Amino acid sequence: MSWSSYTVLDRHQKEWDELDTSAVVPAVLLMVCVCYTLSNLHAFLETRAKSIPKHRKACGSWPSPVTASYLTDDCVKIIPSELRCDPDGKHVYWVEERPTEGGRHVSMKWIGYGCLKNSREDETPEGYGARTRVHEYGGGSHEPYEGGVIFSNTSDQQLYQTIPDNEVGGKEVMQLTKDLNCRYADGAVDTSRARRSHLGSWIDAEFVCVRENHAVDTPTGVVNEVVSVNLTSGAVRVVTSGRDFYACPRISPDGNWIAYVSWDHPTMPWDTTELRVDRLNPETGESMFSRLVIPGGREAVQQPAWSPAGVLHFISDREGWYNVYCLDVDLDGWTTIAAGDRGVIKCVLPVDADCGRAPWQLGQQTYGFLTDSCVAVIAVDSAGEADVIIVPPLPDITTEPRRLRKEYWSKGFDYVQNLPFPKSISAIVCPTVGRKDVIFVGGSNDRPDAIFLFHTEMGASTANGTPYVTKGKGKKGKKGGKATGGGG
């Protein structure tokens, strides 16, 4: 053994001899106690496992504390095709699906003014649901009217109107149609031929919508039509018929024209559709003649809508993307588009992004008009990222479009710093009178859908963490806008 090795061993022997045994004994006793306890625990667990009865069950049938009701009872689902607002933006409406009520679809209203400001209430009371089965996929089941809604009831598919009772509160529900063979959807209110009563309510206003008649309830016997329902008398008048499917009938602001989309079986609405405008009789509202705007076979058109200035807009995939176009022509002096002549149709926002969605459901709105006829458009790029773009009306080509994500959220302004911009946006509406607001439904993979309210003039934004429109306390923004954000 070498001298160095001997030195090391000798040093360890010396340290052992000098070690205080009073510190070693408690440590050894503690280890003995731990080992004894672990051995007894192991024996107890073995005995306990043997006493539990064992059962054999088929794969997938084991009971679990994580049940379907546990996951869904506290959740509601916003239906994107049902986002609406009053013309002045004082009320915002949507339909939510409630698992706790057997999946009942409830029309909701958010109040943005008065003593009930920032409150929300059910528009469809218990026993009623806002859900239509037109085209089986439904959509467009309710529409705001005089502080209430016109809705298609789930159980009988008939049209009803809710009338707020300002004296005692609550809702009065009035039935409008009574033909149980028919379903109704995707309508809009026309007051161009109505008059005001001494109380200020409309008399003889009409609800123009899609009607699906199942008197002959076979695949070839079902009849689709565009009809007008008188909201005072309940009388129903056919505006146009003859095609297998209709969608999105919309009346011009002056009440002289109606635009609508139609197509025939077996074509799907994202394959090819036809866009027409009909001239309406100023006295009776009946169709006098029809003009073809987009013929079938070329492109798929959806969501025709009129700007406050009376310019017809629509979405088309003619260039490969769903972009927004407008008909730049005087309808009174125009006949139809000749083959290959598209000079009267102009693209409002040429962008490599989809401004529309696959029209599985009726009632979808992916663009809207502000009071100055600017167009607020949802644009989803090839990466799936959505933005809201505000485009000036044609022929203004000098004003640059504004992007909410890039110009407000990405710059970290105070009034939006706590409100993450949604990755997906599914619907948008805008008041056409008064305030220049943009209201849209958006969400992300890690956040549920919510309804966002953006004030384009103030530079302020309100949003919520739960699927409701709501407001909370905020602080001043860098541009002087006041921010309010709701809690979840």
Side-chain angles (χ1 to χ4, degrees):
M1 181 180 296
S2 65
W3 174 255
S4 60
S5 298
Y6 174 75
T7 302
V8 172
L9 292 174
D10 182 61
R11 188 180 70 215
H12 281 288
Q13 181 63 40
K14 184 178 179 179
E15 292 175 354
W16 179 260
D17 292 339
E18 295 175 354
L19 184 64
D20 186 3
T21 57
S22 62
V24 175
V25 172
V28 173
L29 291 177
L30 179 62
M31 293 187 64
V32 170
C33 291
V34 170
C35 292
Y36 179 77
T37 302
L38 290 177
S39 63
N40 286 341
L41 178 62
H42 178 70
F44 170 77
L45 292 177
E46 282 188 337
T47 304
R48 178 65 177 169
K50 292 178 181 179
S51 64
I52 298 176
K54 297 180 180 179
H55 303 280
R56 291 184 177 272
K57 290 184 176 293
C59 180
S61 63
W62 284 98
S64 172
V66 185
T67 61
S69 61
Y70 175 82
L71 295 174
T72 61
D73 278 354
D74 295 331
C75 301
V76 295
K77 177 184 178 182
I78 294 177
I79 310 300
S81 61
E82 307 292 0
L83 181 66
R84 300 290 186 270
C85 72
D86 283 340
D88 56 9
K90 292 182 178 180
H91 297 140
V92 178
Y93 302 83
W94 68 96
V95 171
E96 62 183 33
E97 182 180 359
R98 296 180 179 175
T100 55
E101 300 183 25
R104 184 168 77 99
H105 284 56
V106 182
S107 177
M108 298 290 297
K109 178 172 71 175
W110 174 79
I111 302 173
Y113 77 105
C115 60
L116 298 177
K117 184 176 181 180
N118 300 332
S119 65
R120 55 180 178 261
E121 60 184 31
D122 294 5
E123 271 300 309
T124 47
E126 292 187 12
Y128 296 90
R131 188 177 187 181
T132 179
R133 292 180 57 198
V134 172
H135 298 180
E136 301 302 334
Y137 294 102
S141 64
H142 73 158
E143 187 70 18
Y145 178 61
E146 293 198 325
V149 293
I150 299 169
F151 69 97
S152 178
N153 190 38
T154 305
S155 59
D156 59 7
Q157 292 296 291
Q158 298 304 293
L159 288 178
Y160 291 78
Q161 178 186 347
T162 62
I163 303 173
D165 191 332
N166 297 325
E167 295 183 358
V168 299
K171 306 286 181 185
E172 178 186 351
V173 180
M174 179 176 67
Q175 186 171 355
L176 299 174
T177 59
K178 298 181 180 180
D179 189 345
L180 297 181
N181 292 319
C182 295
R183 307 171 183 177
Y184 305 85
D186 201 8
V189 177
D190 176 26
T191 59
S192 60
R193 277 165 286 276
R195 66 185 189 279
R196 290 283 190 181
S197 70
H198 67 284
L199 297 176
S201 59
W202 287 110
I203 298 177
D204 289 333
E206 295 182 321
F207 185 66
V208 181
C209 62
V210 176
R211 182 178 71 176
E212 190 172 79
N213 193 324
H214 286 254
V216 181
D217 199 9
T218 63
T220 58
V222 175
V223 177
N224 270 250
E225 302 165 309
V226 175
V227 300
S228 177
V229 180
N230 189 295
L231 299 178
T232 301
S233 65
V236 179
R237 182 185 71 254
V238 176
V239 178
T240 185
S241 62
R243 305 299 297 272
D244 290 345
F245 301 98
Y246 289 92
C248 205
R250 297 295 182 262
I251 303 288
S252 61
D254 59 9
N256 291 331
W257 300 90
I258 179 174
Y260 55 88
V261 173
S262 61
W263 67 99
D264 291 324
H265 181 79
T267 300
M268 300 299 285
W270 49 81
D271 293 330
T272 178
T273 56
E274 186 176 279
L275 175 61
R276 283 186 172 272
V277 291
D278 287 13
R279 175 70 173 183
L280 300 179
N281 188 303
E283 300 296 331
T284 64
E286 296 178 346
S287 176
M288 299 170 61
F289 56 85
S290 179
R291 289 177 177 169
L292 181 65
V293 179
I294 302 294
R298 295 182 180 180
E299 56 204 90
V301 181
Q302 59 174 277
Q303 298 183 50
W306 303 85
S307 72
V311 178
L312 178 62
H313 290 64
F314 56 90
I315 291 179
S316 172
D317 65 348
R318 59 172 52 194
E319 301 297 336
W321 296 92
Y322 275 129
N323 281 182
V324 180
Y325 295 81
C326 70
L327 185 62
D328 186 20
V329 67
D330 181 11
L331 288 174
D332 289 319
W334 174 73
T335 54
T336 187
I337 297 178
D341 179 15
R342 301 186 179 186
V344 298
I345 295 178
K346 296 182 179 180
C347 187
V348 174
L349 179 65
V351 60
D352 289 344
D354 276 328
C355 302
R357 295 158 54 91
W360 286 98
Q361 287 189 311
L362 298 170
Q364 295 187 13
Q365 294 185 201
T366 56
Y367 72 99
F369 302 100
L370 279 69
T371 56
D372 55 1
S373 289
C374 285
V375 188
V377 185
I378 299 173
V380 183
D381 60 23
S382 57
E385 187 174 84
D387 202 348
V388 174
I389 305 175
I390 300 177
V391 188
L394 294 178
D396 184 356
I397 60 174
T398 59
T399 305
E400 288 292 328
R402 289 178 290 165
R403 296 175 177 263
L404 297 194
R405 179 191 295 274
K406 294 183 178 180
E407 295 190 21
Y408 293 95
W409 266 263
S410 63
K411 293 182 179 180
F413 291 142
D414 286 349
Y415 50 77
V416 294
Q417 63 180 356
N418 296 322
L419 305 173
F421 197 85
K423 181 176 178 61
S424 64
I425 304 175
S426 52
I428 190 170
V429 293
C430 304
T432 55
V433 178
R435 298 169 10 179
K436 297 180 181 179
D437 292 344
V438 176
I439 306 162
F440 56 93
V441 175
S444 304
N445 294 335
D446 57 345
R447 297 178 66 89
D449 279 351
I451 298 176
F452 291 76
L453 172 61
F454 191 89
H455 304 293
T456 61
E457 288 183 320
M458 293 174 56
S461 175
T462 62
N464 60 331
T466 57
Y468 299 101
V469 175
T470 182
K471 291 184 179 181
K473 295 181 179 179
K475 60 181 179 179
K476 292 289 182 177
K478 292 183 180 179
K479 284 193 174 181
K482 184 175 70 174
T484 53

